[in-house]
Amino acid sequence: MNRESRAGVGMTSARTRERLIGRLREQGIRDEETLAAMSAVPRHLFVDEALATRAYEDTALPIGQGQTISQPYIVGRMTAALRTSGPLERVLEVGTGSGYQAAVLSHLAKQVYTVERIADLARAARRRFQALHLTNITVRHADGCEGWPQEAPFDAIMVTAAARTVPEAFFGQLKEGGRLVVPVGADGQALFLYRRRGTAMTVERLEAVNFVPLLPGSLV
Ligand code: SAH
């Protein structure tokens, strides 16, 4: 693509991105800071060039290796959920994928830590963060089911792959008042929001979702 047609895509994408943000607001994403963060991140740069024209549809898209970039509505819903009832300085994301969700979080948090089990995806995400000058994101190629003990505790943890059962490590790595948002289940999944209150956790079911599975153990 030459420079002019690239600029054309850029202009179109700014407009279609705003249209998407408007739709998310209508669908009930009311947290303006979350919406502003989403309008600051060019989602088309987080998918393959062949899919870039679909980047501002409210749909999940393939990112290779059998994985997907989450649907924007779900990104908005999960991000807004983490912003309730407390600061968002240090955030852990499990399942970097394309890096889009981490990029959105980087506009809202001081420091974002994100863990990915597939080396190629971790590498590609790191390159995107560099290109976009998102310097407050650290990517690690590791099993996210362990959380990130060296950087804990976190104000919030977001898991973007579906857990059969929630790994214990996540609860132990939350600060007092910390939030954990995680999809749970196999065929029928739901999104849960946990909050740490002293030694106890409260839990709220948000809605039905459909994520790729959280795979413990083996790295690729
Ligand atoms: N948040 C991503 C979408 C994630 S798709 C985005 O914005 O694009 C889910 C990701 O979780 C996949 O990339 C998958 O490889 C990763 N994953 C699955 N199990 C994992 C584990 N145990 N540790 C780290 N990453 C994992």
Side-chain angles (χ1 to χ4, degrees), residues 123-135:
R123 211 173 300 125
R126 223 177 257 129
R127 273 199 301 271
R128 290 184 178 118
F129 301 147
Q130 272 163 11
L132 292 168
H133 308 293
L134 301 175
T135 54

PDB file of all heavy atoms in Angstrom, residues 123-135:
ATOM      1  N   ARG A 123       5.758 -11.635  21.000  1.00  0.00           N
ATOM      2  CA  ARG A 123       6.734 -10.839  20.239  1.00  0.00           C
ATOM      3  C   ARG A 123       6.030  -9.784  19.376  1.00  0.00           C
ATOM      4  O   ARG A 123       6.417  -8.614  19.352  1.00  0.00           O
ATOM      5  CB  ARG A 123       7.565 -11.780  19.349  1.00  0.00           C
ATOM      6  CG  ARG A 123       8.970 -11.309  19.101  1.00  0.00           C
ATOM      7  CD  ARG A 123       9.795 -12.356  18.365  1.00  0.00           C
ATOM      8  NE  ARG A 123       9.934 -13.619  19.070  1.00  0.00           N
ATOM      9  CZ  ARG A 123       9.615 -14.827  18.583  1.00  0.00           C
ATOM     10  NH1 ARG A 123       9.116 -14.949  17.367  1.00  0.00           N
ATOM     11  NH2 ARG A 123       9.789 -15.918  19.298  1.00  0.00           N
ATOM     12  N   ALA A 124       4.977 -10.204  18.679  1.00  0.00           N
ATOM     13  CA  ALA A 124       4.255  -9.265  17.802  1.00  0.00           C
ATOM     14  C   ALA A 124       3.613  -8.149  18.633  1.00  0.00           C
ATOM     15  O   ALA A 124       3.612  -6.977  18.223  1.00  0.00           O
ATOM     16  CB  ALA A 124       3.190 -10.010  16.997  1.00  0.00           C
ATOM     17  N   ALA A 125       3.080  -8.491  19.797  1.00  0.00           N
ATOM     18  CA  ALA A 125       2.454  -7.474  20.659  1.00  0.00           C
ATOM     19  C   ALA A 125       3.508  -6.470  21.121  1.00  0.00           C
ATOM     20  O   ALA A 125       3.284  -5.252  21.077  1.00  0.00           O
ATOM     21  CB  ALA A 125       1.784  -8.136  21.861  1.00  0.00           C
ATOM     22  N   ARG A 126       4.670  -6.979  21.514  1.00  0.00           N
ATOM     23  CA  ARG A 126       5.763  -6.105  21.963  1.00  0.00           C
ATOM     24  C   ARG A 126       6.137  -5.095  20.865  1.00  0.00           C
ATOM     25  O   ARG A 126       6.336  -3.922  21.130  1.00  0.00           O
ATOM     26  CB  ARG A 126       6.972  -6.983  22.300  1.00  0.00           C
ATOM     27  CG  ARG A 126       7.669  -6.582  23.577  1.00  0.00           C
ATOM     28  CD  ARG A 126       8.808  -7.533  23.893  1.00  0.00           C
ATOM     29  NE  ARG A 126       8.478  -8.484  24.931  1.00  0.00           N
ATOM     30  CZ  ARG A 126       8.642  -9.806  24.843  1.00  0.00           C
ATOM     31  NH1 ARG A 126       9.112 -10.348  23.730  1.00  0.00           N
ATOM     32  NH2 ARG A 126       8.327 -10.583  25.852  1.00  0.00           N
ATOM     33  N   ARG A 127       6.198  -5.583  19.621  1.00  0.00           N
ATOM     34  CA  ARG A 127       6.529  -4.692  18.502  1.00  0.00           C
ATOM     35  C   ARG A 127       5.466  -3.605  18.324  1.00  0.00           C
ATOM     36  O   ARG A 127       5.776  -2.450  18.058  1.00  0.00           O
ATOM     37  CB  ARG A 127       6.642  -5.503  17.195  1.00  0.00           C
ATOM     38  CG  ARG A 127       8.035  -6.080  16.953  1.00  0.00           C
ATOM     39  CD  ARG A 127       8.215  -6.446  15.482  1.00  0.00           C
ATOM     40  NE  ARG A 127       7.239  -7.423  15.021  1.00  0.00           N
ATOM     41  CZ  ARG A 127       7.415  -8.741  15.084  1.00  0.00           C
ATOM     42  NH1 ARG A 127       8.539  -9.245  15.563  1.00  0.00           N
ATOM     43  NH2 ARG A 127       6.486  -9.572  14.648  1.00  0.00           N
ATOM     44  N   ARG A 128       4.194  -3.994  18.480  1.00  0.00           N
ATOM     45  CA  ARG A 128       3.117  -2.993  18.328  1.00  0.00           C
ATOM     46  C   ARG A 128       3.218  -1.928  19.417  1.00  0.00           C
ATOM     47  O   ARG A 128       3.042  -0.742  19.142  1.00  0.00           O
ATOM     48  CB  ARG A 128       1.748  -3.690  18.414  1.00  0.00           C
ATOM     49  CG  ARG A 128       1.460  -4.559  17.210  1.00  0.00           C
ATOM     50  CD  ARG A 128       0.058  -5.159  17.287  1.00  0.00           C
ATOM     51  NE  ARG A 128      -0.182  -5.940  16.096  1.00  0.00           N
ATOM     52  CZ  ARG A 128      -0.414  -7.262  16.096  1.00  0.00           C
ATOM     53  NH1 ARG A 128      -0.466  -7.947  17.234  1.00  0.00           N
ATOM     54  NH2 ARG A 128      -0.609  -7.900  14.959  1.00  0.00           N
ATOM     55  N   PHE A 129       3.504  -2.347  20.645  1.00  0.00           N
ATOM     56  CA  PHE A 129       3.601  -1.367  21.739  1.00  0.00           C
ATOM     57  C   PHE A 129       4.744  -0.385  21.471  1.00  0.00           C
ATOM     58  O   PHE A 129       4.609   0.804  21.732  1.00  0.00           O
ATOM     59  CB  PHE A 129       3.819  -2.066  23.086  1.00  0.00           C
ATOM     60  CG  PHE A 129       2.723  -3.037  23.457  1.00  0.00           C
ATOM     61  CD1 PHE A 129       3.006  -4.181  24.191  1.00  0.00           C
ATOM     62  CD2 PHE A 129       1.408  -2.800  23.070  1.00  0.00           C
ATOM     63  CE1 PHE A 129       2.000  -5.074  24.532  1.00  0.00           C
ATOM     64  CE2 PHE A 129       0.391  -3.702  23.405  1.00  0.00           C
ATOM     65  CZ  PHE A 129       0.695  -4.844  24.138  1.00  0.00           C
ATOM     66  N   GLN A 130       5.847  -0.908  20.934  1.00  0.00           N
ATOM     67  CA  GLN A 130       6.979  -0.031  20.617  1.00  0.00           C
ATOM     68  C   GLN A 130       6.592   0.967  19.546  1.00  0.00           C
ATOM     69  O   GLN A 130       6.834   2.165  19.671  1.00  0.00           O
ATOM     70  CB  GLN A 130       8.179  -0.852  20.158  1.00  0.00           C
ATOM     71  CG  GLN A 130       9.050  -1.296  21.324  1.00  0.00           C
ATOM     72  CD  GLN A 130       9.992  -2.430  20.939  1.00  0.00           C
ATOM     73  OE1 GLN A 130      10.147  -2.749  19.748  1.00  0.00           O
ATOM     74  NE2 GLN A 130      10.614  -3.030  21.940  1.00  0.00           N
ATOM     75  N   ALA A 131       5.955   0.460  18.487  1.00  0.00           N
ATOM     76  CA  ALA A 131       5.582   1.326  17.365  1.00  0.00           C
ATOM     77  C   ALA A 131       4.617   2.427  17.811  1.00  0.00           C
ATOM     78  O   ALA A 131       4.644   3.534  17.287  1.00  0.00           O
ATOM     79  CB  ALA A 131       4.961   0.490  16.254  1.00  0.00           C
ATOM     80  N   LEU A 132       3.764   2.116  18.786  1.00  0.00           N
ATOM     81  CA  LEU A 132       2.767   3.100  19.253  1.00  0.00           C
ATOM     82  C   LEU A 132       3.264   3.892  20.462  1.00  0.00           C
ATOM     83  O   LEU A 132       2.509   4.661  21.062  1.00  0.00           O
ATOM     84  CB  LEU A 132       1.455   2.377  19.605  1.00  0.00           C
ATOM     85  CG  LEU A 132       0.696   1.775  18.421  1.00  0.00           C
ATOM     86  CD1 LEU A 132      -0.419   0.845  18.900  1.00  0.00           C
ATOM     87  CD2 LEU A 132       0.109   2.870  17.539  1.00  0.00           C
ATOM     88  N   HIS A 133       4.536   3.683  20.829  1.00  0.00           N
ATOM     89  CA  HIS A 133       5.138   4.371  21.993  1.00  0.00           C
ATOM     90  C   HIS A 133       4.360   4.148  23.281  1.00  0.00           C
ATOM     91  O   HIS A 133       4.211   5.062  24.087  1.00  0.00           O
ATOM     92  CB  HIS A 133       5.280   5.877  21.718  1.00  0.00           C
ATOM     93  CG  HIS A 133       5.978   6.171  20.426  1.00  0.00           C
ATOM     94  ND1 HIS A 133       7.300   5.875  20.211  1.00  0.00           N
ATOM     95  CD2 HIS A 133       5.516   6.684  19.262  1.00  0.00           C
ATOM     96  CE1 HIS A 133       7.622   6.194  18.984  1.00  0.00           C
ATOM     97  NE2 HIS A 133       6.561   6.675  18.371  1.00  0.00           N
ATOM     98  N   LEU A 134       3.855   2.942  23.445  1.00  0.00           N
ATOM     99  CA  LEU A 134       3.166   2.597  24.693  1.00  0.00           C
ATOM    100  C   LEU A 134       4.221   1.994  25.627  1.00  0.00           C
ATOM    101  O   LEU A 134       4.453   0.795  25.626  1.00  0.00           O
ATOM    102  CB  LEU A 134       2.018   1.620  24.423  1.00  0.00           C
ATOM    103  CG  LEU A 134       0.945   2.137  23.450  1.00  0.00           C
ATOM    104  CD1 LEU A 134      -0.085   1.060  23.141  1.00  0.00           C
ATOM    105  CD2 LEU A 134       0.253   3.382  24.027  1.00  0.00           C
ATOM    106  N   THR A 135       4.869   2.878  26.384  1.00  0.00           N
ATOM    107  CA  THR A 135       6.061   2.463  27.140  1.00  0.00           C
ATOM    108  C   THR A 135       5.726   1.904  28.522  1.00  0.00           C
ATOM    109  O   THR A 135       6.622   1.450  29.224  1.00  0.00           O
ATOM    110  CB  THR A 135       7.020   3.654  27.302  1.00  0.00           C
ATOM    111  OG1 THR A 135       6.269   4.739  27.884  1.00  0.00           O
ATOM    112  CG2 THR A 135       7.582   4.103  25.959  1.00  0.00           C
TER     113      THR A 135
END
